[in-house]
Amino acid sequence: GAGVSQSPRYKVAKRGQDVALRCDPISGHVSLFWYQQALGQGPEFLTYFQNEAQLDKSGLPSDRFFAERPEGSVSTLKIQRTQQEDSAVYLCASSPLEWWENPQETQYFGPGTRLLVL
Amino acid sequence: AQKVTQAQTEISVVEKEDVTLDCVYETRDTTYYLFWYKQPPSGELVFLIRRNSFDEQNEISGRYSWNFQKSTSSFNFTITASQVVDSAVYFCALSEYSWGKLQFGAGTQVVVTP
């Protein structure tokens, strides 16, 4: 079956520009996560959705970052007024069950969006 | 504080050699889960194995094996008879029952040359 897909795969933005990154999770998956991966580092948690509810956004680095999942499937991560330090790979992952109750569940990752802010 | 430590930045081996990746974790939870993920050059994180804190039995799955020792908070991963296709970055990750977030180490780059 289809895995997690993300678009665009690459995005170059000028500093100050707004960007929107899309994630299509595996169909039927309840949990959806966004991670930020800086060069040479492991992924860092940004935010978590259970269906359409954003239950945890403690990892979002600033109020310029905003995420939504209005219908409980596709999610969008928006970064306003991009800065050079926002350059990273943004990974989306989904999991079939509610993560809070099932932290043992495997997360399935998409290929990521590589964002470069000039 | 870093909860998952992968001290090896890069390991280079010749094909057919064994490769062991070290992972040390830190948690106060009695219930937690440990994962290994592989990230090939394409960028997608691929799930390899999962272990829960109640099961210290070490297993072998194909060319992969792991050594989970709670006494030393280690969860090491071995690739036997490495192949060029094993070249990737390998991440160890921890999920704590009380915190519910997947926390990754910094990763170990494995380079397998023919």
Side-chain angles (χ1 to χ4, degrees), chain A residues 37 56 58 99 103-104 107, chain B residues 33 37 39 50 95 100-101:
Chain A
Q37 186 177 18
D56 190 335
S58 61
W99 180 255
Q104 77 282 3
Q107 294 185 23
Chain B
Y33 307 91
Y37 279 86
Q39 189 174 43
R50 177 186 67 218
S95 175
K101 295 172 188 174

Side-chain angles (χ1 to χ4, degrees), chain A residues 45-48 54-62 100, chain B residues 99 101:
Chain A
F45 171 84
L46 292 178
T47 187
Y48 162 60
Q54 188 174 21
L55 298 188
D56 190 335
K57 53 183 181 180
S58 61
L60 296 176
S62 78
W100 290 122
Chain B
W99 208 51
K101 295 172 188 174

Side-chain angles (χ1 to χ4, degrees), chain A residues 14-70:
Chain A
K14 293 183 179 178
R15 193 175 60 166
Q17 219 177 346
D18 296 349
V19 298
L21 312 180
R22 177 188 169 107
C23 171
D24 282 85
I26 294 173
S27 178
H29 276 198
V30 170
S31 294
L32 185 145
F33 310 81
W34 284 98
Y35 292 86
Q36 181 189 58
Q37 186 177 18
L39 189 64
Q41 299 297 317
E44 295 276 347
F45 171 84
L46 292 178
T47 187
Y48 162 60
F49 288 87
Q50 182 173 303
N51 295 308
E52 68 279 3
Q54 188 174 21
L55 298 188
D56 190 335
K57 53 183 181 180
S58 61
L60 296 176
S62 78
D63 58 7
R64 296 186 295 103
F65 286 70
F66 172 76
E68 60 182 4
R69 194 187 185 197

